[in-house]
């Protein structure tokens, strides 16, 4: 089975072709970073307009690069949510139009299921059951994953997502957008231990997260320094990053012990963070549990993960009508279980 995947939920246009026998055949990504950087964040209307310009030519290009004709394609997967409604509508409309024209099934994919399954595109695939930590710009989720499509929510962020907190702290420190990689780079120059930031919600039971207080703590720490030097900012970046990582580590440990899962899967944009990977690898060896990540380029948004998730859904018999529907808000727990299809 060969599926084309289309990702347009936010500020990246991603298109890829995945074949269940041959793996990833082609993968194109266009980032809108330059378009949004002067505004310090994503401008939804500009994002939609750019997806309109890029998506169709990228599909045609990707088809050619994968050595496929429309006849070779068995399905068209697109991100149906969650995300920016206009941006989602572009991908959904194009996917449905192509599906109609080529007489192939279209399949709406949950963006976070795409992230969750991205580590499956490696040779060393995680096996169910496992605990998943999904850390992106829009979500922070801890899931107990029993089987494909059977994801039980253990906890989530009650306010900002981990990536969102990185982006906001980057803005405070005068770094560019997107902020995660910039804060991570600055943190490497910082002296850990100069400041002690809180580990929110770790002193109470449960698996939820809260990152908005950390953001305020960062702002206040910065405001207390009269003319912060580059070193001061690096020390703050290091303390903030350390606090996020340590909080996440504590909750992952708790979830792994609670579920007795033999593996941890970490995915989403923040899973590209080297310090986070080091810390969770350490936790894995401590608990004798495998830790899986996507390849670095499949941590952040991409079309490959959507093609892969769509292929799995189609193989499980998932079907939909020609109606164009997206779900800007869509809890992962509401995904249909493949056995229910
Ligand atoms: O998964 P993703 O591409 O988009 C969403 O679905 O939201 O995640 C993007 C987020 C951004 O907030 C970005 O700052 C963060 O992931 N990010 C990082 C790193 N690379 C990307 N955060 C920390 N360290 C990184 N190396
Ligand atoms: Zn994402």
């Amino acid at each position: 089975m060969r599926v084309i995947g289309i990702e347009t939920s936010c500020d990246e246009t991603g298109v890829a072709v995945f074949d269940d026998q041959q793996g990833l055949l082609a993968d194109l990504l266009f980032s809108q970073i330059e378009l949004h950087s002067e505004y310090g964040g994503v401008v939804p209307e500009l994002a939609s307009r750019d997806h309109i310009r890029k998506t169709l030519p990228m599909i045609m290009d990707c088809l050619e690069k994968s050595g496929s004709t429309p006849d070779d394609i068995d399905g068209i997967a697109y991100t149906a949510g969650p995300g920016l409604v206009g941006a989602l509508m572009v991908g959904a409309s194009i996917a449905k139009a192509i599906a109609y024209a080529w007489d192939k099934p279209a399949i709406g994919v949950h963006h976070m299921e795409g992230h969750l399954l991205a580590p499956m595109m490696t040779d060393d695939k995680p096996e169910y059951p496992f605990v998943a930590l999904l850390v992106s710009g829009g979500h922070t989720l801890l899931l107990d994953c029993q089987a494909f499509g059977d994801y039980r929510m253990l906890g989530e962020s009650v306010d900002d997502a981990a990536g969102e907190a990185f982006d906001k702290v980057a803005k405070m420190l005068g770094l560019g957008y997107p902020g995660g990689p910039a804060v991570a780079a600055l943190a490497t120059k910082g002296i850990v231990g100069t400041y002690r930031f809180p580990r929110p919600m770790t002193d109470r039971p449960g698996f939820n997260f809260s990152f908005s207080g950390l953001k305020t703590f960062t702002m206040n720490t910065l405001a207390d320094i009269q003319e912060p030097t580059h070193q001061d900012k690096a020390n703050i970046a290091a303390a903030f990053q350390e606090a996020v990582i340590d909080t996440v580590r504590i909750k992952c440990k708790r979830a792994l012990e609670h579920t007795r899962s033999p593996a941890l899967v970490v995915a989403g944009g923040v899973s590209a963070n080297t310090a986070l990977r080091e810390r969770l690898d350490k936790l894995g060896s401590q608990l004798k549990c495998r830790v899986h990540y996507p390849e670095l380029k499949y941590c952040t948004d991409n079309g490959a993960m959507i093609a892969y998730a769509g292929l799995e859904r189609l193989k499980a018999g998932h079907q939909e009508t020609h109606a164009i529907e997206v779900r800007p808000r869509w809890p992962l727990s509401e995904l249909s279980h493949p056995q229910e299809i």
Side-chain angles (χ1 to χ4, degrees), residues 316-331:
H318 199 112
Q319 288 177 351
E320 56 186 47
T321 66
H322 289 308
I324 300 170
E325 284 171 312
V326 295
R327 293 185 65 178
R329 289 175 191 280
W330 186 5

Side-chain angles (χ1 to χ4, degrees), residues 12 111-112 115 135-139 163-164 166-167 178-181 184 241 268-270 272-274 299-301:
E12 250 118 19
H111 182 79
M112 298 312 289
H115 277 303
V135 269
S136 73
H139 297 83
E164 190 180 357
F166 266 96
D167 293 337
Q241 178 174 269
V270 185
N273 187 289
T274 312
C299 289
T300 42
D301 293 350

Side-chain angles (χ1 to χ4, degrees), residues 291-302:
V291 188
H292 298 266
Y293 309 90
E295 261 181 65
L296 273 185
K297 65 174 182 170
Y298 302 122
C299 289
T300 42
D301 293 350
N302 63 85

